[in-house]
Amino acid sequence: MFRFICIVLFLIAYLILTIPVLIVEWIIGKFNPRARDISSLRIVQWGFKVILKIAGVKTTVIGEENIPDEPVLFIGNHRSYFDILLTYSRCRRPTGYIAKKEMERYLTLTAWMKRVYCLFLDRSNPKEGLKTILQAIDYIKNGISICIFPEGTRNSGEELSMLPFKDGAFKISTKTGCAIIPISLNNTAEIFENHMPKVRKTHVVIEYGKPIYPDQLDKDTKRHIGDHVENIIRETIHKNAELV
């Protein structure tokens, strides 16, 4: 419980104390949007790294060199709230995450999420969902990477299980031609979800797969690109289970 309380207190302090920072970032953006994007990225990453430090998370990272220096679509399996902290804290360039629309209610947190190009997906409204995907496509075209967990929700099943991927997310890549980077996450639910509200010291494994360019796939694989990426991630989390 001690780690959980420390994380909550840090998060509250962070969200309150960075309100003036949001204003400064807005001013910077009027003169130099690129500088604002990078500084906002680093400020949020610093907060996430502090939370991971408090939580006592040890991370083994494989394949980070596979990420090209260009806007990409990150696709990962999803078992924990900490998946976002673990992956976002390693982004080298501005990256927007697609979150559920319910996250918009959290004031300063929402302001920071929008500042770092996060999008909010209304899963109950297909029309609004399409608008979100189109906005993500526009971000990719403007140099912003996108990360999405296409299982649609956190998977609370067995450790090596996965929920079926939803195909809509992959339109972001097929419509722009950007690379898909599979992210395979092992043991992240053990940080918090497996024993809420306790936060425990945990070793997690993150593996970034080789870039997948839709236009380089054969016609049948491209047609079922969601299944293709899902199988890569499933095979990888089974392979890395012995590293935890």
Side-chain angles (χ1 to χ4, degrees):
M1 280 295 291
F2 177 73
R3 287 191 182 90
F4 175 76
I5 293 170
C6 288
I7 289 170
V8 170
L9 291 175
F10 172 80
L11 186 57
I12 292 171
Y14 180 92
L15 293 175
I16 293 172
L17 295 175
T18 57
I19 291 174
V21 179
L22 279 167
I23 297 171
V24 172
E25 291 291 280
W26 177 80
I27 295 170
I28 293 172
K30 291 293 183 182
F31 301 96
N32 192 334
R34 175 65 179 171
R36 175 204 59 196
D37 287 350
I38 296 300
S39 60
S40 294
L41 171 68
R42 301 305 177 216
I43 290 165
V44 174
Q45 286 181 322
W46 174 81
F48 283 176
K49 288 175 181 178
V50 171
I51 291 173
L52 292 170
K53 185 76 171 178
I54 295 170
V57 178
K58 179 183 177 183
T59 308
T60 295
V61 181
I62 302 168
E64 204 163 17
E65 69 279 0
N66 288 326
I67 306 171
D69 186 19
E70 62 192 42
V72 301
L73 174 64
F74 293 106
I75 294 287
N77 60 308
H78 191 27
R79 294 186 53 80
S80 172
Y81 292 117
F82 279 84
D83 295 340
I84 293 98
L85 281 69
L86 286 159
T87 53
Y88 192 81
S89 61
R90 309 197 70 85
C91 291
R92 294 195 293 260
R93 59 185 299 130
T95 303
Y97 278 52
I98 296 184
K100 58 186 180 181
K101 190 169 180 63
E102 290 80 358
M103 293 295 293
E104 279 192 294
R105 68 184 71 164
Y106 297 114
L107 299 176
T108 310
L109 176 61
T110 302
W112 270 114
M113 291 177 74
K114 289 181 176 179
R115 177 75 294 287
V116 293
Y117 295 101
C118 287
L119 296 168
F120 299 92
L121 180 64
D122 186 350
R123 292 173 291 186
S124 65
N125 188 330
K127 189 175 181 179
E128 290 301 313
L130 178 59
K131 286 183 180 179
T132 302
I133 296 300
L134 292 174
Q135 181 64 67
I137 289 171
D138 189 55
Y139 280 173
I140 290 283
K141 290 178 178 178
N142 285 282
I144 308 297
S145 292
I146 293 292
C147 181
I148 189 167
F149 301 106
E151 290 169 284
T153 187
R154 283 183 300 109
N155 173 19
S156 57
E158 295 181 359
E159 169 59 26
L160 298 179
S161 67
M162 287 173 58
L163 300 174
F165 280 7
K166 300 184 185 300
D167 291 334
F170 296 91
K171 288 185 173 67
I172 299 168
S173 178
T174 57
K175 296 296 185 183
T176 62
C178 77
I180 296 170
I181 303 295
I183 308 178
S184 305
L185 297 153
N186 282 75
N187 208 37
T188 58
E190 188 58 27
I191 302 171
F192 180 59
E193 281 76 9
N194 286 351
H195 37 70
M196 292 189 289
K198 294 181 180 179
V199 174
R200 291 181 177 169
K201 283 186 176 182
T202 306
H203 175 225
V204 304
V205 179
I206 305 173
E207 179 163 346
Y208 295 90
K210 292 182 179 179
I212 301 166
Y213 290 92
D215 293 342
Q216 296 177 6
L217 300 173
D218 62 72
K219 193 174 294 185
D220 187 61
T221 304
K222 186 176 180 179
R223 189 181 301 116
H224 301 98
I225 193 168
D227 292 338
H228 178 60
V229 177
E230 181 182 341
N231 288 334
I232 289 172
I233 293 175
R234 180 179 287 106
E235 291 172 5
T236 305
I237 62 174
H238 277 81
K239 171 181 70 73
N240 289 340
E242 63 185 30
L243 301 177
V244 174

